[in-house]
Amino acid sequence: MRIARFSVDDEPKYGVVETDDPEGLVGTVNVLDSDPLYRSAQFTGEKLQLADVRLLAPVIPRSKVVCVGRNYAAHAAELGNDVPTQPMIFLKPNTSVIGPRDGIVYPEQTNDLHFEGELAIVIGRICRDLPKERVNEVIFGYTVANDVTARDLQKSDGQWARAKGYDTFCPLGPWISTEFDASDVRVSTELNGEPKQDGRTSQFIFDIPEVLAYITSFTTLLPGDVVLTGTPAGVGPMLPGDEVSVSVEGLGTLTNKVIVRD
């Protein structure tokens, strides 16, 4: 099931998407009466054309976005880093989240803004000290993410809060897939239509059960929290006017344009 958050006349709604288009530009959405992440939702009977709605970020984390750094060996190597011996965790603020087709703002403080396409997990239940064998019990679904990074600030600051945390630095979308096998799917990125990243989730250094067990060993995950699972090799710079598209095989494609704030 593909669950989308969308707006019509600036009113946010939720619905189940029916489409063969990975970006959801063509198809229909069956409207729900509430957010199914937090309560049992029912269909209202209203059906809209996707061309007539604006897809929003499928979830706005009430608490946090938790990210795994250097979870592909080839990505660690391309930046000259060692492969970590345990998951490398950092946070993005929920104010960094934007949706499909929203603009990624190029901050004036950086000269080296990078894309990082990723698979993202949406948490559906409160969890702490989660055993690896129970991970599927707490996953609501999956979506596509772009861990936008100011690479020069990441290097100069020595920690990643600013480099990863600007407003608009966490595009999510186009929807949440609640029935999805994420164990071996392709994660790819194109910049202006040119292929840049191409990896598979089976190449994770730390798989999803390991990642969630590790994160919940030190912090509680809440419903609506989002976990970014790491990016394949091929990250690189993007400039104002560029269009970046991140795709997860069988899930969807998330496209955003880089802009300069007015």
Side-chain angles (χ1 to χ4, degrees), residues 9-189:
D9 298 326
D10 295 326
E11 180 185 356
K13 296 184 177 182
Y14 296 85
V16 175
V17 170
E18 297 177 0
T19 182
D20 293 324
D21 179 2
E23 293 193 65
L25 301 178
V26 179
T28 60
V29 56
N30 295 284
V31 181
L32 296 168
D33 62 2
S34 61
D35 183 352
L37 178 61
Y38 296 106
R39 55 170 290 187
S40 179
Q42 305 296 322
F43 289 108
T44 66
E46 183 181 12
K47 180 179 283 191
L48 302 172
Q49 295 297 313
L50 285 170
D52 297 330
V53 309
R54 177 189 171 204
L55 290 178
L56 307 173
V59 61
I60 298 295
R62 294 184 178 180
S63 171
K64 53 192 172 294
V65 179
V66 187
C67 310
V68 186
R70 302 172 190 166
N71 202 21
Y72 287 80
H75 171 57
E78 74 177 342
L79 297 181
N81 298 307
D82 294 332
V83 173
T85 57
Q86 60 185 9
M88 178 178 291
I89 305 299
F90 62 94
L91 302 178
K92 282 179 175 278
N94 58 8
T95 49
S96 66
V97 171
I98 56 173
R101 300 286 168 181
D102 288 340
I104 299 169
V105 176
Y106 199 113
E108 62 181 14
Q109 296 89 346
T110 183
N111 294 303
D112 195 16
L113 191 67
H114 281 212
F115 53 82
E116 294 191 9
E118 309 198 11
L119 171 75
I121 305 165
V122 180
I123 300 300
R125 293 175 55 185
I126 189 169
C127 50
R128 175 70 199 271
D129 294 321
L130 182 68
K132 287 190 285 187
E133 60 271 15
R134 298 189 62 184
V135 160
N136 287 338
E137 297 177 22
V138 307
I139 295 176
F140 180 74
Y142 297 87
T143 191
V144 185
N146 188 347
D147 174 21
V148 178
T149 304
R151 193 70 69 198
D152 49 354
L153 302 184
Q154 185 183 26
K155 294 175 182 177
S156 66
D157 288 0
Q159 50 78 28
W160 301 356
R162 183 167 68 131
K164 302 272 193 177
Y166 278 89
D167 291 356
T168 77
F169 273 25
C170 189
L172 296 176
W175 42 64
I176 299 169
S177 180
T178 60
E179 300 168 5
F180 186 71
D181 182 357
S183 59
D184 182 24
V185 292
R186 184 185 184 197
V187 179
S188 58
T189 303

